[in-house]
Amino acid sequence: MVQHPFAAALILATLGFSCWRLVYLAFKSTNAIRWTFDLELASTALCSWILAALLYRLTLHPLANYPGPVIAACTDWYNVYWVATGNRHLEIDKQHKTWGTTIRYGPNRISFCSEGAHRDLGAVNANVLRSSVFSSFKKFFGVDSSATTLDPKEHAFRRRIDYQTLMPRILQAYESRVTPHIDFMTTHLAEDLPKASSEDQEGEWGPTQNMTSVLTYCIADIMADVVFSQPWNVQRDPRNRRPIEMLPKSTTGLLVVGHMQTVIRLGLHWVMFFPFIKDILQFLLLAKSFASRRASLSDHDLEGRRDIWSTLLVSKDAETGRTFTPEQLTSEAGMFVTAGTGTSILAVSSTLFYLLRYPHTLTRLAEDIRARFSVNRTSPNQNGSTPACPISWGSSELQNTPYLYACIYEAMRLSPGLPGFSPRVAGPGGVSLDGIWFPEGTELGIPFWSLNRDARYFPDPLTYNPDRWMPVTQGGQGLQPGSGPAAAFTPFGQGRFGCLGRHFAMQEVTLILSHLIWLFDIRQEPRKDYGGKNGNKPEGRGCDDEFQLHDRFTGDGDGPYVQFRHRSF
Ligand code: HEM
């Protein structure tokens, strides 16, 4: 209020006018035609109610003194707008640059960009709950998953069961559900390339590939196979691609709706936001059909190969003795596909983007990987010209390739899987973050995009520098994600909401990248204009050297546009 005297004066004046109108109408009522009077009275009362709410939000609300855009303090339509554009992470970043560490980005929402706040919010025993933003999922689909339920006990129960499917020691069982899809992708890429005249010569460069698309199809096939024992077949059959291509945009829809709890309470979300969510409805129908087909498979059909479904089916919660109901089983299985697809695509595509933008990092990584994994002359050739890649799922040598991990972490820092918020709500009695107390019910979010680029924690933050994550003994800075000086960087979240698939994801991402880099030379499409050279890019998107994302709860990119050629052996 103090910061916005003009807005406050305007609102006061309008409120005064409304009160006068009410009094005037009350006097006039004896002579007025009844329905006209009712209409005028109702609209005046509505305007007065809205203005009173605005006034309260700007003056007496517990968050009234936090800085930020006036419109954000007044209404959540600010959030709806920015979420719908996919640019909310850029807008929030701009606001933090203007106002500092803590900003009010909704009437009841605080964005807190500090390592201390991140630590306190993510602590296992933090007095916070999941925000009602996630409730839109259940409102539309009638079911919840561990990634959306607001009930802490239900969440903990589902998490305990889900964890049993992704424990590091059982991941090896998924090998035959992962590697064939990666092999299909690389074989397909190789088929498009001009043949090299001999093995010890590089070939010609092949056609341009949009790696976000290539990876989307590969990773969707992997996830459907790992979860449901059913290849989605999106790599082979373009007709199957629409649901997976539309998934990022439809999660935006859920996020948009989640910010409008009043609209949901009035049941208007179906009408107002249907265009946003119709694609996710299609996706869920597809997940249901996967689930019913999977339910009809017997152990014999699986030929001894484990999938996530079979583990979920038999797992029992040690604390409560409960198992999943058929509905819970279906919603959890579908959730694994949504949670594990977009995030992994982004991790691989952004790493490729930055490796190509900083060619010395690509050269170093390729030399390292090719030196560690030598050519196996006895294994069958792919497409007659390229020896098969010897790197296998779960390879301990691969897991001990620090520069590969460093390159991925650094790309995830600049292109976080969750560029925006994963909001929490202060529990009964309130919560203290980084020394600041927030009352019960306040919605609190860490702006991951901004935090990961904060020069207080990552000097020279916009430079892609994998050496930050290399051990000191190998000339690096020795940072480790989520601890010590890099505590601000937690690419897989933390605490009781942290990612259950992190070990699986790192195995998958490292395997895909190492296969591409071992098999092919890669270069950026020479003619592609990535950045704001034409001066017509929206604010925050002008940098040529940055992988551009849309915040659709998970980050959604495009490209990089690359060309491959056969490497020499
Ligand atoms: C590089 C890839 C990935 C990244 C960056 C990533 C990141 C994250 C993050 C940041 C969260 C926490 C969300 C929150 O705080 O609300 C999360 C949750 C989750 N992730 Fe991942 N994830 C990745 C891959 C996967 C994969 C492959 C799977 C499954 C196979 C998976 C399953 C989950 C699940 C089930 C949750 C919800 C946990 C809960 O609510 O208790 N993720 N992920």
Side-chain angles (χ1 to χ4, degrees):
M1 174 74 147
V2 178
Q3 292 159 23
H4 315 295
F6 178 70
L10 199 66
I11 287 164
L12 273 175
T14 323
L15 193 62
F17 175 74
S18 304
C19 293
W20 172 80
R21 283 289 293 162
L22 275 175
V23 174
Y24 168 77
L25 283 170
F27 277 109
K28 193 181 146 197
S29 65
T30 44
N31 303 326
I33 302 167
R34 192 71 216 167
W35 69 266
T36 322
F37 166 70
D38 285 349
L39 199 66
E40 278 194 71
L41 192 64
S43 58
T44 308
L46 182 67
C47 288
S48 307
W49 179 76
I50 291 173
L51 287 171
L54 287 180
L55 193 61
Y56 167 73
R57 288 174 178 182
L58 287 168
T59 56
L60 302 173
H61 192 284
L63 305 182
N65 286 329
Y66 284 92
V70 182
I71 183 78
C74 292
T75 172
D76 270 322
W77 284 101
Y78 167 81
N79 261 288
V80 168
Y81 171 78
W82 284 108
V83 170
T85 62
N87 293 333
R88 185 172 64 165
H89 59 307
L90 301 177
E91 163 67 9
I92 295 291
D93 195 48
K94 188 173 108 184
Q95 297 302 337
H96 275 296
K97 286 188 175 120
T98 309
W99 299 104
T101 302
T102 321
I103 60 161
R104 187 181 183 193
Y105 75 101
N108 197 32
R109 301 178 208 274
I110 290 289
S111 169
F112 205 147
C113 186
S114 92
E115 186 265 304
H118 182 35
R119 180 199 55 223
D120 292 343
L121 199 63
V124 176
N125 56 356
N127 181 27
V128 291
L129 305 163
R130 197 173 247 149
S131 150
S132 59
V133 162
F134 294 97
S135 68
S136 52
F137 191 85
K138 188 168 182 187
K139 293 288 173 202
F140 275 109
F141 310 118
V143 290
D144 250 330
S145 72
S146 65
T148 58
T149 179
L150 306 189
D151 177 346
K153 282 196 180 143
E154 179 67 13
H155 176 235
F157 155 67
R158 291 192 184 215
R159 224 178 128 81
R160 285 192 296 270
I161 294 209
D162 288 347
Y163 177 68
Q164 298 177 42
T165 68
L166 290 165
M167 289 182 291
R169 69 183 159 81
I170 69 163
L171 295 186
Q172 202 52 38
Y174 299 130
E175 176 169 22
S176 64
R177 304 199 173 279
V178 176
T179 43
H181 302 293
I182 299 177
D183 288 344
F184 182 89
M185 175 184 73
T186 51
T187 308
H188 199 66
L189 289 171
E191 276 166 8
D192 283 349
L193 302 184
K195 295 239 182 338
S197 50
S198 71
E199 251 187 38
D200 55 5
Q201 295 223 313
E202 296 99 3
E204 296 296 313
W205 292 104
T208 301
Q209 306 280 355
N210 177 351
M211 287 313 288
T212 289
S213 302
V214 171
L215 294 163
T216 299
Y217 309 143
C218 173
I219 290 173
D221 275 349
I222 291 175
M223 288 312 295
D225 207 350
V226 167
V227 177
F228 294 109
S229 284
Q230 284 171 63
W232 199 326
N233 262 342
V234 277
Q235 292 203 93
R236 288 177 174 80
D237 190 346
R239 285 171 305 175
N240 299 340
R241 291 178 181 169
R242 179 163 167 101
I244 192 68
E245 285 172 344
M246 295 314 292
L247 196 58
K249 286 204 176 108
S250 26
T251 49
T252 307
L254 288 175
L255 200 56
V256 164
V257 183
H259 283 89
M260 281 288 138
Q261 292 298 312
T262 315
V263 171
I264 291 182
R265 274 192 287 274
L266 295 173
L268 296 175
H269 52 294
W270 282 107
V271 186
M272 290 174 71
F273 295 117
F274 187 71
F276 278 106
I277 54 94
K278 65 177 190 323
D279 287 307
I280 206 165
L281 214 54
Q282 263 187 19
F283 173 79
L284 280 164
L285 286 175
L286 189 78
K288 275 191 180 163
S289 78
F290 276 154
S292 65
R293 261 184 283 157
R294 174 60 187 82
S296 67
L297 294 182
S298 65
D299 284 352
H300 179 258
D301 296 322
L302 295 189
E303 297 164 348
R305 297 192 307 148
R306 190 197 279 257
D307 62 6
I308 284 185
W309 180 280
S310 52
T311 313
L312 291 177
L313 190 66
V314 297
S315 296
K316 193 183 248 189
D317 178 20
E319 263 182 44
T320 60
R322 283 169 64 196
T323 52
F324 278 161
T325 62
E327 290 75 31
Q328 287 169 332
L329 182 61
T330 304
S331 67
E332 290 305 291
M335 180 273 298
F336 275 111
V337 178
T338 43
T341 305
T343 44
S344 306
I345 296 164
L346 180 63
V348 185
S349 55
S350 60
T351 307
L352 276 175
F353 175 90
Y354 284 107
L355 287 171
L356 289 160
R357 277 285 172 198
Y358 292 76
H360 66 280
T361 60
L362 180 57
T363 307
R364 180 170 162 189
L365 182 61
E367 281 171 7
D368 189 1
I369 288 178
R370 291 173 185 182
R372 281 167 191 270
F373 299 94
S374 51
V375 181
N376 180 355
R377 297 280 169 195
T378 57
S379 66
N381 283 0
Q382 276 187 347
N383 132 32
S385 61
T386 312
C389 178
I391 310 172
S392 60
W393 173 250
S395 148
S396 56
E397 179 68 29
L398 193 64
Q399 286 167 16
N400 286 308
T401 307
Y403 197 62
L404 175 60
Y405 278 75
C407 290
I408 296 168
Y409 288 146
E410 185 63 350
M412 287 170 121
R413 184 181 68 78
L414 290 165
S415 303
L418 258 59
F421 307 105
S422 182
R424 313 274 182 253
V425 171
V431 68
S432 193
L433 299 189
D434 212 2
I436 303 179
W437 183 83
F438 294 95
E440 176 178 348
T442 310
E443 189 167 299
L444 300 156
I446 305 297
F448 296 113
W449 173 270
S450 305
L451 189 65
N452 289 359
R453 289 148 185 264
D454 193 320
R456 288 173 296 174
Y457 313 117
F458 305 103
D460 194 11
L462 299 185
T463 300
Y464 179 73
N465 177 12
D467 275 320
R468 294 177 209 272
W469 310 102
M470 286 299 281
V472 178
T473 50
Q474 295 183 38
Q477 297 172 16
L479 293 185
Q480 295 202 347
S483 71
F489 174 61
T490 55
F492 292 100
Q494 56 180 342
R496 58 184 201 266
F497 298 96
C499 180
L500 288 169
R502 61 192 305 163
H503 300 291
F504 179 94
M506 282 313 280
Q507 261 188 230
E508 180 188 35
V509 168
T510 50
L511 192 67
I512 295 176
L513 276 167
S514 60
H515 270 235
L516 289 172
I517 290 168
W518 192 91
L519 282 166
F520 304 111
D521 292 336
I522 312 174
R523 74 172 182 187
Q524 194 176 294
E525 141 76 89
R527 285 157 305 157
K528 192 85 191 165
D529 168 21
Y530 283 89
K533 282 186 188 143
N534 303 328
N536 59 358
K537 295 280 187 312
E539 200 174 354
R541 295 202 178 276
C543 179
D544 257 8
D545 288 331
E546 217 166 32
F547 191 51
Q548 299 297 329
L549 294 188
H550 283 92
D551 172 8
R552 306 197 185 285
F553 185 61
T554 52
D556 178 32
D558 179 36
Y561 290 80
V562 309
Q563 293 173 339
F564 293 93
R565 71 175 179 192
H566 289 298
R567 62 170 276 209
S568 61
F569 287 95

